[in-house]
Amino acid sequence: MSEGNNNTNFLSTITLGASLHIFGKAVINVLGFLLQLVLTRGLGSGLYGVYAYGNTILKIALVFTTLGSGKSLLRYLPKYEDNPVKRQFAFGLALLTSFIGALLTAGGLFVFAPTISGWTLDQPEFVPVLRLFSVLLISDTIARVIYSVFRSLERVEYEVLTNKITRPVFRLSAVVLALGVGFSLLGVMIALIAASLLTIGVAVYFLLTRFDLRPSICFDQTSKKEVVEYYNY
């Protein structure tokens, strides 16, 4: 009887997660389309091309900045369910690793923005835009780590709410507001950074109020072997 209940709960969890994922995917696709429409109309083809190129660089950089922290959290948070100290250390190590990775990558983009512009797009507007994208890279990286925590703890509803609903709503609202008051591309970029920070604020609020997990870096309570195991995963 107990095994039957466990199977039922497992299937219910999978069904709920799949339903939320589909709903979130639909929302983010619709809002993403509206965002691109607003940007195209508001910026014009020239400036939108600059934005699109910078956004492509951002997406490529985001693949590397977390340095595998998302996968590590998906493994170690469930594994250390009965060991809060190791759980907190895994979370803290993921945040620290991702932040350092994002900071180094963003710093490279910021410093070499003129060089990248000269080799590729070669437009004066692109240098400050890419530098603002480097700031966005840091906030988006931290947000991704928090989303991974929600997935690792099997609370996909919070990942859907923050990443697939709150984030695109904030981004679309920020861009509409920026364009509505007469800002151009740089103003739109600042608005997107503000939207990203607000999204992190919402995610952190849920993390602090709905979960007892807190990041912690305490090497004296964690063996060197466990640190090596984390980075080798």
Side-chain angles (χ1 to χ4, degrees):
M1 185 71 175
S2 176
E3 183 178 351
N5 289 335
N6 289 336
N7 290 336
T8 301
N9 291 335
F10 178 70
L11 290 174
S12 299
T13 301
I14 293 178
T15 302
L16 176 62
S19 300
L20 288 171
H21 176 76
I22 292 172
F23 174 73
K25 188 69 174 176
V27 171
I28 199 171
N29 284 342
V30 171
L31 293 177
F33 171 77
L34 292 175
L35 177 62
Q36 300 308 312
L37 183 63
V38 170
L39 285 169
T40 305
R41 296 278 187 173
L43 295 176
S45 59
L47 289 180
Y48 178 77
V50 174
Y51 164 83
Y53 182 50
N55 194 46
T56 299
I57 294 176
L58 172 69
K59 289 180 178 179
I60 294 173
L62 279 171
V63 174
F64 304 101
T65 50
T66 57
L67 300 175
S69 294
K71 287 179 59 179
S72 296
L73 287 172
L74 287 171
R75 177 184 180 182
Y76 291 114
L77 291 190
K79 178 181 178 180
Y80 296 144
E81 182 177 3
D82 298 324
N83 192 328
V85 173
K86 289 186 176 181
R87 251 192 175 190
Q88 291 174 355
F89 180 79
F91 182 21
L93 201 57
L95 270 178
L96 180 62
T97 301
S98 299
F99 178 73
I100 292 175
L103 195 62
L104 291 175
T105 306
L109 289 176
F110 191 94
V111 171
F112 293 106
T115 304
I116 296 172
S117 177
W119 285 353
T120 56
L121 205 57
D122 197 20
Q123 291 192 18
E125 302 92 347
F126 182 65
V127 173
V129 167
L130 184 57
R131 285 174 169 169
L132 288 172
F133 267 117
S134 70
V135 177
L136 190 60
L137 175 66
I138 298 174
S139 61
D140 279 1
T141 298
I142 299 303
R144 284 193 170 199
V145 174
I146 300 176
Y147 303 150
S148 295
V149 170
F150 294 150
R151 290 196 299 272
S152 302
L153 299 178
E154 297 182 353
R155 300 301 299 273
V156 67
E157 64 270 25
Y158 291 107
E159 193 268 337
V160 170
L161 180 59
T162 53
N163 184 27
K164 295 182 169 61
I165 298 178
T166 302
R167 179 174 175 267
V169 166
F170 282 172
R171 282 168 60 86
L172 179 59
S173 302
V175 168
V176 169
L177 180 61
L179 292 174
V181 298
F183 290 136
S184 188
L185 181 53
L186 292 182
V188 166
M189 288 304 306
I190 293 172
L192 287 173
I193 292 172
S196 181
L197 293 175
L198 286 173
T199 303
I200 291 178
V202 173
V204 169
Y205 169 78
F206 285 132
L207 186 65
L208 295 177
T209 59
R210 302 294 193 274
F211 303 90
D212 58 2
L213 179 65
R214 303 290 182 268
S216 175
I217 299 294
C218 189
F219 288 99
D220 59 342
Q221 298 184 33
T222 307
S223 68
K224 180 181 178 181
K225 178 182 177 181
E226 289 164 342
V227 177
V228 173
E229 181 185 6
Y230 174 90
Y231 285 115
N232 284 339
Y233 177 64

Short mmCIF file of all heavy atoms in Angstrom, two decimals, residues 163-196:
data_model
loop_
_atom_site.label_atom_id
_atom_site.label_comp_id
_atom_site.label_asym_id
_atom_site.label_seq_id
_atom_site.Cartn_x
_atom_site.Cartn_y
_atom_site.Cartn_z
N ASN A 163 11.42 32.41 -13.38
CA ASN A 163 12.17 32.42 -14.64
C ASN A 163 11.28 32.56 -15.87
O ASN A 163 11.63 33.27 -16.81
CB ASN A 163 12.98 31.11 -14.75
CG ASN A 163 13.87 31.08 -15.97
OD1 ASN A 163 14.30 32.12 -16.47
ND2 ASN A 163 14.15 29.89 -16.46
N LYS A 164 10.14 31.91 -15.87
CA LYS A 164 9.32 31.85 -17.08
C LYS A 164 8.12 32.80 -17.07
O LYS A 164 7.46 32.97 -18.10
CB LYS A 164 8.85 30.42 -17.33
CG LYS A 164 9.99 29.45 -17.64
CD LYS A 164 9.48 28.06 -17.92
CE LYS A 164 10.60 27.18 -18.48
NZ LYS A 164 11.73 27.03 -17.57
N ILE A 165 7.83 33.39 -15.91
CA ILE A 165 6.71 34.34 -15.85
C ILE A 165 7.19 35.72 -15.38
O ILE A 165 7.07 36.71 -16.10
CB ILE A 165 5.58 33.82 -14.93
CG1 ILE A 165 5.03 32.50 -15.49
CG2 ILE A 165 4.46 34.85 -14.80
CD1 ILE A 165 3.95 31.86 -14.64
N THR A 166 7.72 35.78 -14.16
CA THR A 166 8.16 37.07 -13.61
C THR A 166 9.22 37.73 -14.49
O THR A 166 9.12 38.92 -14.79
CB THR A 166 8.71 36.88 -12.19
OG1 THR A 166 7.70 36.29 -11.37
CG2 THR A 166 9.13 38.21 -11.60
N ARG A 167 10.23 36.97 -14.88
CA ARG A 167 11.33 37.54 -15.67
C ARG A 167 10.85 38.14 -16.99
O ARG A 167 11.14 39.31 -17.27
CB ARG A 167 12.40 36.47 -15.91
CG ARG A 167 13.57 36.95 -16.74
CD ARG A 167 14.66 35.87 -16.79
NE ARG A 167 15.74 36.27 -17.69
CZ ARG A 167 15.81 35.96 -18.96
NH1 ARG A 167 14.84 35.24 -19.53
NH2 ARG A 167 16.83 36.36 -19.71
N PRO A 168 10.11 37.40 -17.83
CA PRO A 168 9.67 38.03 -19.09
C PRO A 168 8.68 39.16 -18.90
O PRO A 168 8.68 40.12 -19.68
CB PRO A 168 9.04 36.86 -19.88
CG PRO A 168 8.75 35.82 -18.87
CD PRO A 168 9.78 35.96 -17.81
N VAL A 169 7.84 39.09 -17.85
CA VAL A 169 6.91 40.19 -17.57
C VAL A 169 7.68 41.45 -17.20
O VAL A 169 7.40 42.55 -17.71
CB VAL A 169 5.93 39.81 -16.44
CG1 VAL A 169 5.19 41.04 -15.93
CG2 VAL A 169 4.92 38.78 -16.94
N PHE A 170 8.68 41.31 -16.32
CA PHE A 170 9.50 42.46 -15.93
C PHE A 170 10.27 43.02 -17.12
O PHE A 170 10.37 44.24 -17.29
CB PHE A 170 10.47 42.06 -14.82
CG PHE A 170 9.85 41.98 -13.46
CD1 PHE A 170 10.56 41.48 -12.37
CD2 PHE A 170 8.55 42.40 -13.23
CE1 PHE A 170 10.01 41.41 -11.10
CE2 PHE A 170 7.97 42.33 -11.97
CZ PHE A 170 8.71 41.83 -10.91
N ARG A 171 10.81 42.14 -17.96
CA ARG A 171 11.59 42.60 -19.10
C ARG A 171 10.71 43.37 -20.08
O ARG A 171 11.08 44.45 -20.55
CB ARG A 171 12.24 41.40 -19.81
CG ARG A 171 13.47 40.86 -19.09
CD ARG A 171 13.90 39.51 -19.64
NE ARG A 171 14.22 39.57 -21.05
CZ ARG A 171 15.42 39.90 -21.53
NH1 ARG A 171 16.41 40.21 -20.69
NH2 ARG A 171 15.66 39.92 -22.83
N LEU A 172 9.56 42.81 -20.39
CA LEU A 172 8.66 43.47 -21.33
C LEU A 172 8.18 44.81 -20.77
O LEU A 172 8.17 45.82 -21.48
CB LEU A 172 7.46 42.56 -21.64
CG LEU A 172 6.41 43.13 -22.60
CD1 LEU A 172 7.01 43.47 -23.95
CD2 LEU A 172 5.25 42.13 -22.76
N SER A 173 7.80 44.83 -19.50
CA SER A 173 7.32 46.06 -18.88
C SER A 173 8.41 47.13 -18.86
O SER A 173 8.15 48.31 -19.13
CB SER A 173 6.84 45.78 -17.45
OG SER A 173 5.81 44.81 -17.44
N ALA A 174 9.64 46.71 -18.54
CA ALA A 174 10.76 47.66 -18.47
C ALA A 174 11.06 48.27 -19.83
O ALA A 174 11.29 49.48 -19.95
CB ALA A 174 12.00 46.96 -17.91
N VAL A 175 11.03 47.44 -20.87
CA VAL A 175 11.32 47.93 -22.22
C VAL A 175 10.22 48.88 -22.70
O VAL A 175 10.50 49.93 -23.27
CB VAL A 175 11.49 46.75 -23.20
CG1 VAL A 175 11.51 47.24 -24.65
CG2 VAL A 175 12.79 46.00 -22.89
N VAL A 176 8.97 48.50 -22.47
CA VAL A 176 7.85 49.36 -22.86
C VAL A 176 7.94 50.70 -22.15
O VAL A 176 7.75 51.77 -22.76
CB VAL A 176 6.50 48.67 -22.55
CG1 VAL A 176 5.34 49.66 -22.71
CG2 VAL A 176 6.29 47.47 -23.47
N LEU A 177 8.27 50.68 -20.86
CA LEU A 177 8.40 51.92 -20.10
C LEU A 177 9.55 52.77 -20.63
O LEU A 177 9.41 53.99 -20.80
CB LEU A 177 8.62 51.59 -18.61
CG LEU A 177 8.78 52.79 -17.68
CD1 LEU A 177 7.52 53.65 -17.69
CD2 LEU A 177 9.09 52.31 -16.26
N ALA A 178 10.70 52.13 -20.88
CA ALA A 178 11.87 52.87 -21.36
C ALA A 178 11.60 53.52 -22.71
O ALA A 178 11.91 54.69 -22.93
CB ALA A 178 13.07 51.94 -21.45
N LEU A 179 11.02 52.77 -23.62
CA LEU A 179 10.71 53.33 -24.94
C LEU A 179 9.60 54.36 -24.85
O LEU A 179 9.59 55.34 -25.60
CB LEU A 179 10.32 52.20 -25.90
CG LEU A 179 11.44 51.22 -26.28
CD1 LEU A 179 10.88 50.07 -27.12
CD2 LEU A 179 12.55 51.94 -27.06
N GLY A 180 8.67 54.14 -23.93
CA GLY A 180 7.54 55.06 -23.78
C GLY A 180 7.95 56.44 -23.33
O GLY A 180 7.31 57.44 -23.69
N VAL A 181 9.02 56.52 -22.54
CA VAL A 181 9.47 57.83 -22.05
C VAL A 181 10.54 58.44 -22.96
O VAL A 181 11.12 59.48 -22.65
CB VAL A 181 10.01 57.75 -20.60
CG1 VAL A 181 8.91 57.29 -19.66
CG2 VAL A 181 11.21 56.80 -20.53
N GLY A 182 10.82 57.75 -24.07
CA GLY A 182 11.71 58.33 -25.07
C GLY A 182 13.14 57.86 -25.05
O GLY A 182 13.99 58.41 -25.77
N PHE A 183 13.47 56.84 -24.24
CA PHE A 183 14.84 56.34 -24.23
C PHE A 183 15.14 55.54 -25.49
O PHE A 183 14.24 54.95 -26.09
CB PHE A 183 15.09 55.46 -23.00
CG PHE A 183 15.13 56.21 -21.71
CD1 PHE A 183 14.47 55.73 -20.59
CD2 PHE A 183 15.82 57.40 -21.60
CE1 PHE A 183 14.50 56.42 -19.40
CE2 PHE A 183 15.86 58.11 -20.41
CZ PHE A 183 15.19 57.61 -19.30
N SER A 184 16.41 55.50 -25.84
CA SER A 184 16.84 54.70 -26.98
C SER A 184 17.48 53.41 -26.47
O SER A 184 17.13 52.93 -25.39
CB SER A 184 17.81 55.50 -27.86
OG SER A 184 18.08 54.81 -29.05
N LEU A 185 18.44 52.86 -27.21
CA LEU A 185 18.98 51.54 -26.89
C LEU A 185 19.66 51.49 -25.53
O LEU A 185 19.48 50.54 -24.77
CB LEU A 185 19.95 51.11 -27.99
CG LEU A 185 20.59 49.73 -27.82
CD1 LEU A 185 19.54 48.66 -27.62
CD2 LEU A 185 21.46 49.41 -29.03
N LEU A 186 20.46 52.50 -25.19
CA LEU A 186 21.14 52.48 -23.89
C LEU A 186 20.14 52.51 -22.74
O LEU A 186 20.31 51.82 -21.72
CB LEU A 186 22.11 53.66 -23.79
CG LEU A 186 23.33 53.62 -24.72
CD1 LEU A 186 24.22 54.82 -24.48
CD2 LEU A 186 24.12 52.32 -24.53
N GLY A 187 19.08 53.30 -22.89
CA GLY A 187 18.03 53.33 -21.88
C GLY A 187 17.32 52.00 -21.76
O GLY A 187 16.97 51.55 -20.65
N VAL A 188 17.12 51.33 -22.89
CA VAL A 188 16.50 50.00 -22.88
C VAL A 188 17.40 49.00 -22.16
O VAL A 188 16.91 48.17 -21.38
CB VAL A 188 16.24 49.53 -24.33
CG1 VAL A 188 15.92 48.03 -24.38
CG2 VAL A 188 15.08 50.32 -24.94
N MET A 189 18.70 49.09 -22.39
CA MET A 189 19.63 48.18 -21.72
C MET A 189 19.62 48.37 -20.20
O MET A 189 19.62 47.41 -19.44
CB MET A 189 21.05 48.39 -22.26
CG MET A 189 21.27 47.87 -23.67
SD MET A 189 20.88 46.13 -23.84
CE MET A 189 21.88 45.42 -22.54
N ILE A 190 19.59 49.62 -19.77
CA ILE A 190 19.52 49.90 -18.33
C ILE A 190 18.21 49.37 -17.75
O ILE A 190 18.17 48.81 -16.65
CB ILE A 190 19.67 51.41 -18.07
CG1 ILE A 190 21.08 51.86 -18.46
CG2 ILE A 190 19.38 51.75 -16.62
CD1 ILE A 190 21.28 53.36 -18.44
N ALA A 191 17.13 49.50 -18.51
CA ALA A 191 15.83 48.97 -18.07
C ALA A 191 15.88 47.45 -17.95
O ALA A 191 15.32 46.88 -17.01
CB ALA A 191 14.74 49.39 -19.05
N LEU A 192 16.56 46.78 -18.87
CA LEU A 192 16.67 45.32 -18.81
C LEU A 192 17.50 44.88 -17.61
O LEU A 192 17.21 43.86 -16.98
CB LEU A 192 17.30 44.79 -20.11
CG LEU A 192 16.39 44.83 -21.35
CD1 LEU A 192 17.19 44.46 -22.59
CD2 LEU A 192 15.20 43.89 -21.18
N ILE A 193 18.54 45.64 -17.29
CA ILE A 193 19.33 45.33 -16.09
C ILE A 193 18.47 45.48 -14.84
O ILE A 193 18.51 44.63 -13.93
CB ILE A 193 20.56 46.24 -16.02
CG1 ILE A 193 21.54 45.92 -17.15
CG2 ILE A 193 21.27 46.10 -14.66
CD1 ILE A 193 22.70 46.89 -17.28
N ALA A 194 17.68 46.55 -14.79
CA ALA A 194 16.78 46.75 -13.65
C ALA A 194 15.78 45.61 -13.54
O ALA A 194 15.49 45.12 -12.43
CB ALA A 194 16.05 48.09 -13.80
N ALA A 195 15.25 45.16 -14.68
CA ALA A 195 14.30 44.05 -14.68
C ALA A 195 14.95 42.77 -14.16
O ALA A 195 14.34 42.00 -13.42
CB ALA A 195 13.75 43.83 -16.09
N SER A 196 16.20 42.55 -14.56
CA SER A 196 16.93 41.37 -14.09
C SER A 196 17.15 41.41 -12.58
O SER A 196 16.98 40.41 -11.88
CB SER A 196 18.28 41.28 -14.81
OG SER A 196 19.00 40.14 -14.39
#
